[in-house]
Amino acid sequence: MIVVTDLIPVPLSGCTGFASERGSMARTVTLRLEKDAYEELQKAAAAERRPLANFIATAALARIREAQFVDDGEMAEILGNDALVRRLKAGSQQARQRKGDFVA
């Protein structure tokens, strides 16, 4: 489920912002959606008065960022676990020294 309030608008190509900051042109992507999914996305985009493509791109980027980064609560929990922090530091040091087996 997409939580509309968590989405941050992404400027479309031709606008200043996301695409032009990287110095690249926008890319066209073909996406097949079931009718129900399309209608739900279209309604959500219309509720925010945004184009469907912008809404989908924003939702996808928000999901990626959510999966890749921990929130403040998670980070506090990680940092509060002394044994975990010691293991993470040891693993980081071993990686810098190229010790151990690495999986690509």
Side-chain angles (χ1 to χ4, degrees):
M1 176 180 199
I2 297 171
V3 180
V4 176
T5 58
D6 293 340
L7 302 180
I8 301 167
V10 176
L12 299 173
S13 65
C15 301
T16 59
F18 187 79
S20 61
E21 284 176 7
R22 294 193 175 146
S24 63
M25 299 292 293
R27 303 287 191 254
T28 299
V29 176
T30 301
L31 177 66
R32 291 188 189 276
L33 299 170
E34 295 293 328
K35 182 180 177 185
D36 293 344
Y38 174 83
E39 289 173 357
E40 186 174 343
L41 288 167
Q42 186 65 43
K43 286 178 187 176
E48 292 191 12
R49 297 185 178 171
R50 294 172 38 204
L52 179 61
N54 176 268
F55 185 85
I56 292 171
T58 302
L61 289 171
R63 175 62 181 96
I64 290 167
R65 290 178 183 133
E66 176 185 304
Q68 290 180 341
F69 300 103
V70 297
D71 63 29
D72 292 340
E74 286 177 296
M75 185 55 74
E77 187 175 339
I78 290 167
L79 294 175
N81 185 332
D82 293 334
L84 175 60
V85 171
R86 281 193 301 276
R87 289 179 26 222
L88 289 170
K89 286 181 179 179
S92 179
Q93 186 177 20
Q94 289 174 357
R96 281 192 301 275
Q97 295 170 350
R98 301 213 180 267
K99 292 184 178 177
D101 296 324
F102 294 92
V103 179

